[in-house]
Amino acid sequence: MREHLKFKQLLSQFKSLKFEEEYLKDFLMEANEEFEEAFISYLEENGITNEELEGPPEEPGPIAEDDGELHESSTEPIDMKHFKKAHKKLVKILHPDKQRDGDPRKEEHEEDFKRMTTALNEGIWAEFFEIADKYNVKLDRVEEANRLLLEDIEKASGTIESKKKTFSWFLANCGEDKDCRDNVIEVYLRSKYGWAKDR
């Protein structure tokens, strides 16, 4: 019983992190554009040309730390034998061939079937467990599920932290404070091009 309660708690924690990760992804899409505009503006205001910057000329923008994709589990592929029964039950519920045309849940089931397939192919076990939980499908090896959830939680936390270390993130958190914004751009120029402002 304790393992089942732990499973629910870990799954809830993963869902929360997944939501935060998706929010940050959207937030940083706008923040990246804002950074590029601030970068170009800073260069123009300070009369800096690409020739003055050391290293090869590059498209101005934030360091590419994020590929925009949700995290994947760090685990090696695991034999489905631990979750074979749950998988079979979910296939019976969700497979497109099992859906009736008039069923109002048909589209939702087909979407969840795709999510489940992607989760298994990419080794994102927490996504698979989330779908199993949604349809009240019990897992045979809850302790193994908890171990995998912990790994996915750790990976998601790491991804979130790395998103919060981008120049775009720091610039966005400056708000309208010009000194702060200029400082972020100057740190970026120093780290990317070895450029330093003449004091």
Side-chain angles (χ1 to χ4, degrees):
M1 183 64 170
R2 183 179 293 163
E3 288 295 323
H4 287 282
L5 291 173
K6 184 178 179 183
F7 174 79
K8 292 284 191 183
Q9 186 268 327
L10 291 173
L11 193 57
S12 176
Q13 188 177 350
F14 175 78
K15 287 178 186 179
S16 176
L17 287 169
K18 187 171 92 170
F19 176 80
E20 184 177 357
E21 198 172 359
E22 288 171 357
Y23 164 77
L24 283 171
K25 180 181 172 184
D26 288 343
F27 178 86
L28 285 174
M29 282 175 63
E30 284 185 32
N32 288 344
E33 289 177 18
E34 183 184 349
F35 182 89
E36 287 184 27
E37 290 170 11
F39 180 82
I40 291 167
S41 177
Y42 183 90
L43 294 183
E44 289 171 356
E45 285 174 16
N46 292 279
I48 302 167
T49 63
N50 277 333
E51 291 77 35
E52 291 178 70
L53 302 176
E54 292 180 8
E58 293 183 26
E59 187 81 19
I63 293 176
E65 294 180 17
D66 176 33
D67 59 8
E69 296 297 314
L70 290 177
H71 70 281
E72 292 185 14
S73 172
S74 59
T75 60
E76 292 296 317
I78 294 181
D79 194 336
M80 268 301 290
K81 69 181 179 184
H82 296 316
F83 310 110
K84 200 171 186 176
K85 286 181 186 176
H87 181 253
K88 281 184 177 180
K89 285 179 186 174
L90 285 169
V91 168
K92 283 182 184 178
I93 296 168
L94 303 174
H95 196 281
D97 293 345
K98 306 283 185 187
Q99 307 306 310
R100 295 185 197 164
D101 285 335
D103 190 338
R105 298 169 302 165
K106 179 181 178 182
E107 194 174 304
E108 180 185 0
H109 285 183
E110 289 176 352
E111 187 60 37
D112 283 341
F113 182 79
K114 287 179 194 171
R115 278 182 59 217
M116 178 182 72
T117 303
T118 301
L120 292 174
N121 288 339
E122 295 180 0
I124 305 172
W125 287 97
E127 292 275 351
F128 174 73
F129 301 146
E130 190 177 346
I131 294 166
D133 186 62
K134 178 179 178 179
Y135 292 96
N136 294 314
V137 173
K138 301 285 185 240
L139 303 171
D140 292 337
R141 298 280 304 275
V142 179
E143 65 283 351
E144 182 66 12
N146 288 344
R147 185 184 71 75
L148 294 168
L149 274 170
L150 281 168
E151 288 185 12
D152 279 348
I153 286 167
E154 185 178 326
K155 182 74 174 181
S157 296
T159 301
I160 287 166
E161 286 308 307
S162 72
K163 286 176 190 281
K164 291 181 177 179
K165 290 179 182 171
T166 60
F167 288 103
S168 296
W169 172 264
F170 289 123
L171 185 82
N173 282 290
C174 285
E176 298 301 317
D177 183 339
K178 182 159 176 30
D179 289 340
C180 177
R181 294 170 70 85
D182 285 353
N183 186 53
V184 170
I185 299 297
E186 288 164 10
V187 171
Y188 173 75
L189 284 166
R190 189 165 47 250
S191 66
K192 185 81 170 176
Y193 298 101
W195 178 90
K197 184 175 183 177
D198 294 331
R199 297 288 176 195

